[in-house]
Amino acid sequence: MVRYILKRFFMMILTIWIIATLTFVLMNAIPGSPFNEERTSNEAVQENLERHFNLDEPPIVQYFIYLKSIATLDFGPSIKKPNSTVNDLLGRGFPISAELGIIAILVALLSGIVLGVLAALRHNGIIDYLAMTIAVLGISIPNFVLATLLIQQLAVNGGFFPVATWQSPMHMVLPTLALATGPMAIIARLTRSSMLEVLTQDYIKMARAKGLAPYKVVIKHALKNALMPVVTILGTLLAGILTGTFVIEKIFAIPGMGKYFVESINQRDYPVIMGTTVFYSAFLVFALFLVDIAYGLLDPRIKLHKEEGN
């Protein structure tokens, strides 16, 4: 297991380096300068700005400066916000984005598992059809469309929730619903199909034959094995939710990293774009790393297979 963890850790570092390099190459491939809009008759001003942000250096020198900033976790100053560094923006925006993402993934997990289990236990019944209808709608409707519908119906017309911002638990309801519905639908469908398969296994029949209470059979014996497919896709769902917060934050005017990232793209703020991309990539790759370890701990057969393969 230790060898497997070390191997996955090395792959994680390699993945982050590849993402960082690609981000740097793409940013340098964009023609022009981020100071084009500020160009005046005084060329010395632009030259001084480019020198200050190391944009006058050859690309290879800029690349190593960029790698050093990643290694030291100091992404430098923002070009368009001279009084703030990229670390300052991350410190202000990421906690809010992370809070929204964590709440959304917890809601998606709990509601998706409950819907999936109920649908499997009431297979081909009204609960099954209702749960799968909700799941199909959740998968079919993009989160930005759902967010617009929720604002229109529950905030503007109904007045049940605030329209935007991130100030109280009531402000969190609509963004969380918009962000969690899609992953919830995927988890519900996976849990249902996996539970249906597990409930036909011999050890489940044996547990029932021994007279165990139905809830013990489901929770203690069936659910753990039925959740393996959910654990498998958890890293991907987490990545989708955390990156999806950018769109939801823009729609609900939430002051998270989505706001700064979108602004940095429009303003060609290279340090913010590259710093945010690398930071989120590292965070998501580390989350996938943890999911891999959790998968091996939940199913020792997977761990043994990987060790034998090495």
Side-chain angles (χ1 to χ4, degrees):
M1 188 63 178
V2 174
R3 185 171 59 181
Y4 170 66
I5 292 175
L6 290 176
K7 179 181 177 182
R8 294 298 301 169
F9 182 78
F10 173 76
M11 293 300 297
M12 179 181 69
I13 299 298
L14 180 61
T15 302
I16 294 173
W17 173 74
I18 292 174
I19 293 173
T21 301
L22 289 175
T23 304
F24 177 83
V25 170
L26 291 174
M27 288 297 98
N28 277 268
I30 299 176
S33 166
F35 304 109
N36 283 349
E37 296 179 357
E38 303 175 12
R39 181 170 294 176
T40 64
S41 56
N42 189 355
E43 295 292 334
V45 174
Q46 182 178 351
E47 292 176 358
N48 288 334
L49 288 172
E50 291 180 349
R51 186 180 304 109
H52 177 71
F53 291 100
N54 299 311
L55 297 178
D56 61 330
E57 300 285 353
I60 187 64
V61 176
Q62 295 183 41
Y63 176 65
F64 282 106
I65 293 174
Y66 170 56
L67 290 181
K68 180 182 177 182
S69 69
I70 295 174
T72 57
L73 300 179
D74 182 6
F75 298 108
S78 166
I79 291 178
K80 299 299 181 178
K81 295 180 174 61
N83 295 326
S84 298
T85 65
V86 178
N87 291 38
D88 292 336
L89 299 180
L90 288 170
R92 290 199 296 263
F94 181 72
I96 297 175
S97 298
E99 183 180 12
L100 173 58
I102 291 171
I103 294 174
I105 195 65
L106 290 177
V107 170
L109 275 172
L110 293 176
S111 57
I113 290 172
V114 170
L115 276 178
V117 170
L118 290 177
L121 295 178
R122 298 292 184 267
H123 185 46
N124 289 332
I126 184 65
I127 296 179
D128 185 15
Y129 294 138
L130 181 60
M132 289 304 98
T133 299
I134 295 173
V136 170
L137 290 175
I139 294 174
S140 304
I141 303 176
N143 58 13
F144 60 89
V145 174
L146 180 60
T148 305
L149 293 174
L150 291 174
I151 291 174
Q152 181 65 36
Q153 299 301 323
L154 299 182
V156 177
N157 294 340
F160 301 112
F161 301 99
V163 175
T165 69
W166 189 260
Q167 299 175 359
S168 68
M170 292 296 289
H171 288 84
M172 302 177 183
V173 175
L174 296 186
T176 300
L177 286 177
L179 195 57
T181 300
M184 177 272 294
I186 296 173
I187 292 171
R189 290 175 64 87
L190 275 176
T191 304
R192 174 184 177 270
S193 61
S194 185
M195 277 291 293
L196 288 174
E197 181 181 352
V198 169
L199 289 174
T200 61
Q201 299 297 315
D202 291 338
Y203 68 90
I204 298 295
K205 296 177 182 178
M206 180 64 70
R208 287 171 172 168
K210 288 181 177 180
L212 289 180
Y215 76 92
K216 287 186 177 180
V217 174
V218 172
I219 296 176
K220 189 175 180 180
H221 295 280
L223 188 57
K224 178 181 177 181
N225 292 324
L227 289 181
M228 292 303 298
V230 176
V231 175
T232 304
I233 67 162
L234 189 58
T236 304
L237 290 180
L238 181 62
I241 284 181
L242 288 182
T243 53
T245 59
F246 285 7
V247 178
I248 298 301
E249 287 171 11
K250 191 68 176 177
I251 294 174
F252 287 95
I254 298 173
M257 275 311 301
K259 169 187 175 183
Y260 299 120
F261 188 69
V262 173
E263 288 178 354
S264 68
I265 293 175
N266 294 331
Q267 299 172 352
R268 298 181 64 176
D269 194 338
Y270 293 165
V272 176
I273 295 174
M274 294 191 292
T276 304
T277 302
V278 171
F279 179 81
Y280 266 81
S281 299
F283 183 83
L284 296 175
V285 169
F286 183 70
L288 292 172
F289 171 70
L290 294 179
V291 168
D292 282 343
I293 296 176
Y295 195 60
L297 294 174
L298 285 174
D299 192 346
R301 296 171 301 173
I302 302 299
K303 177 176 65 176
L304 179 61
H305 174 73
K306 289 182 180 296
E307 289 177 348
E308 289 177 350
N310 291 333

